[in-house]
Amino acid sequence: MFISPTNWEETLLPYNQAVDELVVKFSSLAAGFRKLDRPSPIESVSGRVKRVSSILDKANRKSVATSEITEKIEDIAGIRIICRFIDDISVVIRMIKDRGGIDLEVIKERDYITSMKPSGYRSFHLIVRYPVITAFGFARVLCEIQIRTMAMNFWATIEHSLRYKYNGKIPEQLASRLISSSEAAAKLDDEMNAIHDEIMEAQIVYQSKTALVDEILDNIQRLYVSARVDELEDLNERFFALYEGGDFEKLADFNRSLRAMRDVYRI
Ligand code: 0O2
């Protein structure tokens, strides 16, 4: 693909389309989790195509010739995926890699989470090649996918504005405060991750209790056909008492006795 310095609109068309398509794809993944009441590792997705002035600035800064821009400037198309928890980042990376080249191919990764940038910047970047069929033909464009937590995003957004304000030369004192605030954001991410683990554990306990209660009710329902009425009343009363007591082990024992009854009645 070549840059036409006289027709940027046409040059950037596949990039615009790639961003639109990828935002829909990742947002749909998040919607899928929510539809099934599962926690989504993707909190939100956004995308942008770099402004022509920024493309030219970057090409100039990196001494990239106009003819090489599409190969050497890797973030003309950019997608940002925001996660709540730091653990979600590796889940999202896996989901992207598991697409196995069907619609995108991961060609590079940069882990600024394990190795924070000297500025304090933390984020995980994947450079992918994405095929698009535009109104004017087929193209494979490079796209940078930035994956970060809400805390990382908050820091990067503020730092980006300051970088812009100071024309890239943030005063030393402010730069060192930014580094400490990035460390504070990393601590916040760790704390939130610990809470995340607790939420997940509580969810597992809740799910097994729900499954057990469903099985007990199903067993009582099946016994309804064969057991005597007084026996059933007794079972229902025992179930409600145990359910109110909230002791999981006692409920599990009760369920085992129901299974044994079903064996006796061969149902
Ligand atoms: P914009 O305005 O966000 O598009 P290099 O310049 O060699 O370090 P390169 O090729 O630009 O690296 O890749 P890198 O470092 O992965 O950076 C790509 C993008 O990551 C940047 O694009 C930023 O969006 C973001 N980024 C990287 N470092 C920082 C940082 O220190 N602070 C903030 N806020 N964002 C950062 P652009 O084109 O630089 O900027």
Side-chain angles (χ1 to χ4, degrees):
M1 253 187 78
F2 293 100
I3 284 279
S4 161
T6 49
N7 194 345
W8 279 100
E9 214 171 319
E10 192 178 323
T11 303
L12 295 182
L13 185 80
Y15 290 92
N16 277 299
Q17 190 169 322
V19 166
D20 289 348
E21 289 183 15
L22 286 167
V23 168
V24 167
K25 287 185 179 188
F26 290 116
S27 305
S28 304
L29 285 179
F33 281 99
R34 292 191 186 112
K35 212 169 196 150
L36 297 183
D37 284 332
R38 307 242 172 94
S40 171
I42 298 175
E43 177 66 18
S44 63
V45 183
S46 60
R48 63 98 184 97
V49 172
K50 227 177 173 56
R51 296 163 73 97
V52 175
S53 56
S54 300
I55 298 173
L56 294 175
D57 277 353
K58 196 161 185 171
N60 199 22
R61 206 167 65 236
K62 292 174 157 268
S63 308
V64 172
T66 314
S67 60
E68 297 175 317
I69 283 179
T70 55
E71 273 313 303
K72 296 207 170 152
I73 307 291
E74 296 165 333
D75 64 341
I76 295 177
I79 302 294
R80 191 166 290 159
I81 299 178
I82 308 295
C83 307
R84 281 192 190 185
F85 301 104
I86 202 155
D87 277 355
D88 291 338
I89 293 181
S90 44
V91 176
V92 173
I93 295 168
R94 191 70 268 145
M95 284 163 79
I96 294 173
K97 290 185 174 170
D98 281 352
R99 296 177 91 97
I102 292 170
D103 62 348
L104 55 79
E105 186 195 350
V106 175
I107 57 169
K108 225 180 258 180
E109 57 183 73
R110 295 191 181 110
D111 181 357
Y112 300 129
I113 297 175
T114 312
S115 315
M116 178 177 97
K117 276 193 141 186
S119 61
Y121 179 74
R122 291 160 62 241
S123 202
F124 198 98
H125 294 186
L126 288 173
I127 308 296
V128 302
R129 205 177 276 285
Y130 181 76
V132 267
I133 302 170
T134 73
F136 303 97
F138 178 75
R140 272 181 204 280
V141 297
L142 289 178
C143 174
E144 181 182 76
I145 305 179
Q146 298 182 342
I147 310 156
R148 45 170 89 150
T149 61
M150 292 160 105
M152 292 173 193
N153 192 48
F154 177 46
W155 182 94
T157 309
I158 301 294
E159 196 263 4
H160 193 273
S161 321
L162 288 169
R163 195 168 283 274
Y164 184 76
K165 178 180 171 190
Y166 290 104
N167 216 3
K169 295 183 192 77
I170 298 179
E172 219 169 285
Q173 213 190 358
L174 188 51
S176 88
R177 287 179 79 171
L178 280 166
I179 293 171
S180 348
S181 55
S182 174
E183 285 160 0
K187 194 160 185 297
L188 178 65
D189 272 333
D190 287 344
E191 291 291 329
M192 287 299 167
N193 219 37
I195 293 173
H196 182 214
D197 290 346
E198 252 177 58
I199 293 169
M200 294 307 278
E201 274 167 30
Q203 206 164 0
I204 291 166
V205 171
Y206 173 77
Q207 276 164 353
S208 17
K209 194 170 172 187
T210 309
L212 178 63
V213 168
D214 285 351
E215 195 185 330
I216 290 174
L217 292 174
D218 183 58
N219 284 335
I220 295 179
Q221 176 70 36
R222 281 164 197 273
L223 286 165
Y224 178 76
V225 190
S226 313
R228 294 192 321 269
V229 175
D230 57 338
E231 237 173 11
L232 274 171
E233 276 173 3
D234 178 49
L235 288 178
N236 270 324
E237 271 171 28
R238 277 171 59 203
F239 165 65
F240 283 119
L242 289 172
Y243 184 77
E244 274 171 18
D247 187 324
F248 187 85
E249 276 315 309
K250 284 186 181 161
L251 274 169
D253 279 346
F254 178 58
N255 193 39
R256 278 188 279 275
S257 68
L258 291 176
R259 281 199 204 130
M261 278 181 83
R262 280 184 60 184
D263 285 346
V264 170
Y265 287 110
R266 294 178 192 278
I267 45 172

